[in-house]
Amino acid sequence: MSIKFSKLGDRFTEDSGISSLMRDLGAALQSNSSMIFMGGGNPAQFESVNAIFAREIANVTSNKELFNKYFGTYQSPEGHIEFRKAVSLMLSKELNAEISIDNIAISNGSQSAFFIIFNLLAGKTSEGKRRSILLPMLPEYIGYTDIGLEDNFFVSQRPKIKLLENRFFKYEVDFDNLVIGENIAALCVSRPTNPTGNMLTIKELQKLDVLAKASNIPLIIDCAYGLPFPGVVYGKFKQYFSENTILVYSLAKLGLPGCRTGIIVGNPKIIDAFNNANVAMNLATSSAGPAVMTEMMKDNKLLPLCKDKIMPKYKVKLDMTLKLINEIFTDLNYRIHVPEGAFFIWFWFKDLPISSTALYEKLKKEGVLVIPGDHFFPGVKEDWSHSKQCIRVSYTQDAESISKGLRIIYNQIKKLY
Ligand code: PLP
């Protein structure tokens, strides 16, 4: 049967770069069970942390009243009220701000929150103009790429590159060339950035916020790995918040991607619009996340878990990975982005003689999966060679796999010269 799709349907039947990459990753994993997976965004599995979450779930499932509250009834469009209260109290304290339950919405994962928020703001306006989301600093999260329901949905800006000692480098927002035209509906940054682990400085965020406010548009901060939870951030960083920001959180990187819970913190106007759109799409939001987290947040157990267990466990993995890179890659011309958060190494091989996608194919044949860098540059207008010289490598696997994977990457690149 030939199905006639709408324009929107056509968009989703076209094979976008991202969906074919994701399919390719899935097929490679299925065809080779010993494949080392350094490509995905899956969080590491820490047994002692999982045991805490499992206990919270058991408390709910073993109590008839709680079971019915979380799993036997639809939540209101705004999401579970006790959960929102717990989030609002925790964040008010942490961000030193007055955040009420009217500032908070709950979504089925933060990905779907971005889908709704971006499309609420950007696209065709009622006056017939087209507006876009500006990503003020590339590279940026691969998952934004296909979110826009209209063409030219993203506008983006190349960063400045600051070379640092010990083969590190850091991207910085290029404010000299940042133009926020009338066609911009919002700014969005992930912090820490997926794929680079960059923590934009508070100064950069303040400057972005001032520019956004002057244009009467919000600054969206994707806190999927950020502060205060899951808090996968290495060093003394603070969270940024203002009346003009929309913060988007997720429970996924705590180790709970299956709960599909996102949390949006913004002004009530955006929260109301979000809730109405969410009802149309989902009717109600999943209660799995609130079931695990409400008591933990109320009892002030979540943030200590992030600070004292989750972040240090990732830091151990990061330190081990950096040490291995230092040992293995010595005679290659490489740099890595200073890893300030999240759980990826962003490699830059400046004189790579093939594209990062061709390198990805070679590595796949050798049994290791990474993500080629050029997928993290949504909205770039002109070709930028830098985007083809980078790869993202996750360090969530066990030590042996990370070591084996890094050696394969080294050997393949070494062969190219
Ligand atoms: N934002 C960033 C930066 C991410 O890395 C991810 C997932 O990998 C998401 C958002 C979406 O996460 P989820 O939908 O699981 O909350």
Side-chain angles (χ1 to χ4, degrees):
M1 184 175 68
S2 93
I3 298 173
K4 177 72 188 149
F5 283 102
S6 66
K7 195 171 169 216
L8 178 63
D10 286 341
R11 263 190 100 79
F12 287 112
T13 49
E14 276 164 17
D15 215 1
S16 79
I18 306 299
S19 47
S20 65
L21 174 68
M22 293 306 157
R23 255 201 312 279
D24 200 51
L25 287 169
L29 275 177
Q30 276 207 332
S31 68
N32 176 358
S33 58
S34 59
M35 186 71 89
I36 302 171
F37 193 49
M38 299 175 101
N42 267 326
Q45 290 299 307
F46 301 124
E47 266 179 39
S48 60
V49 175
N50 285 352
I52 293 170
F53 296 142
R55 225 167 26 235
E56 294 297 322
I57 295 169
N59 281 345
V60 170
T61 53
S62 61
N63 177 313
K64 263 193 208 163
E65 217 174 287
L66 288 179
F67 185 87
N68 187 41
K69 184 159 95 179
Y70 286 110
F71 295 108
T73 41
Y74 282 116
Q75 294 309 308
S76 66
E78 295 83 13
H80 205 277
I81 187 152
E82 255 178 272
F83 181 57
R84 281 161 56 236
K85 264 189 201 157
V87 173
S88 79
L89 284 175
M90 185 179 75
L91 287 183
S92 298
K93 205 163 139 208
E94 268 310 292
L95 306 180
N96 200 15
E98 271 181 42
I99 296 169
S100 84
I101 56 168
D102 298 333
N103 297 112
I104 294 170
I106 311 299
S107 63
N108 285 329
S110 67
Q111 184 72 23
S112 79
F114 284 105
F115 186 89
I116 293 177
I117 295 170
F118 283 177
N119 284 292
L120 281 176
L121 298 170
K124 212 168 178 181
T125 66
S126 41
E127 295 85 34
K129 291 183 180 155
R130 273 180 199 283
R131 305 217 301 165
S132 305
I133 302 289
L134 171 61
L135 306 173
M137 196 175 77
L138 292 173
E140 195 41 281
Y141 173 46
I142 198 168
Y144 298 151
T145 314
D146 286 338
I147 280 183
L149 293 179
E150 290 187 24
D151 296 331
N152 301 322
F153 200 78
F154 291 103
V155 177
S156 53
Q157 172 75 43
R158 282 188 197 180
K160 281 185 175 171
I161 297 180
K162 188 173 167 185
L163 301 182
L164 303 170
E165 283 180 347
N166 300 326
R167 304 202 189 212
F168 287 115
F169 73 102
K170 184 169 165 72
Y171 294 121
E172 293 177 342
V173 180
D174 182 1
F175 285 101
D176 296 337
N177 289 305
L178 189 68
V179 182
I180 304 183
E182 275 184 11
N183 62 326
I184 300 302
L187 306 188
C188 179
V189 292
S190 60
R191 182 179 187 259
T193 310
N194 176 357
T196 60
N198 192 10
M199 284 294 280
L200 270 89
T201 63
I202 293 290
K203 246 190 184 165
E204 283 176 313
L205 290 166
Q206 275 166 341
K207 265 176 132 173
L208 289 175
D209 200 15
V210 166
L211 291 170
K213 261 186 219 152
S215 299
N216 219 3
I217 59 174
L219 168 63
I220 303 168
I221 307 178
D222 180 345
C223 311
Y225 305 80
L227 294 167
F229 68 92
V232 188
V233 167
Y234 316 112
K236 285 205 163 94
F237 292 99
K238 285 194 167 147
Q239 179 56 298
Y240 181 80
F241 172 78
S242 84
E243 287 186 350
N244 193 49
T245 53
I246 300 173
L247 304 184
V248 183
Y249 285 97
S250 168
L251 300 189
K253 312 300 169 176
L254 288 166
L256 296 168
C259 277
R260 308 309 303 133
T261 301
I263 299 164
I264 303 104
V265 185
N267 88 38
K269 208 167 166 193
I270 190 92
I271 295 294
D272 278 352
F274 175 87
N275 286 334
N276 291 341
N278 196 34
V279 171
M281 272 178 73
N282 296 305
L283 188 58
T285 304
S286 163
S287 296
V292 188
M293 277 299 143
T294 306
E295 293 306 313
M296 284 192 75
M297 286 183 180
K298 277 189 358 200
D299 296 344
N300 192 27
K301 285 188 189 150
L302 176 63
L303 300 188
L305 179 71
C306 297
K307 272 188 207 140
D308 304 335
K309 275 208 164 161
I310 296 177
M311 185 281 286
K313 282 177 184 293
Y314 276 117
K315 181 75 169 59
V316 168
K317 282 183 176 288
L318 169 64
D319 289 344
M320 184 205 64
T321 307
L322 291 177
K323 189 165 169 278
L324 282 168
I325 292 170
N326 229 342
E327 285 165 13
I328 300 169
F329 286 69
T330 1
D331 62 343
L332 282 187
N333 185 12
Y334 78 94
R335 281 187 179 271
I336 59 177
H337 192 281
V338 54
E340 295 169 314
F343 39 66
F344 310 109
I345 298 292
W346 180 249
F347 275 104
W348 176 22
F349 301 104
K350 195 161 189 270
D351 45 13
L352 193 68
I354 57 173
S355 72
S356 56
T357 297
L359 177 62
Y360 158 80
E361 291 295 345
K362 282 184 181 295
L363 293 173
K364 190 172 68 178
K365 278 201 190 105
E366 293 304 312
V368 60
L369 288 173
V370 301
I371 305 278
D374 40 340
H375 290 284
F376 296 92
F377 292 80
V380 271
K381 278 181 231 93
E382 71 274 23
D383 214 27
W384 185 26
S385 54
H386 179 77
S387 70
K388 297 179 176 56
Q389 298 164 352
C390 300
I391 55 170
R392 192 193 78 177
V393 177
S394 153
Y395 53 85
T396 54
Q397 301 283 344
D398 60 276
E400 199 191 327
S401 305
I402 294 173
S403 168
K404 228 167 131 184
L406 288 174
R407 277 171 218 282
I408 294 173
I409 297 170
Y410 168 81
N411 287 332
Q412 281 306 303
I413 295 178
K414 187 78 185 148
K415 272 191 202 162
L416 298 172
Y417 296 103

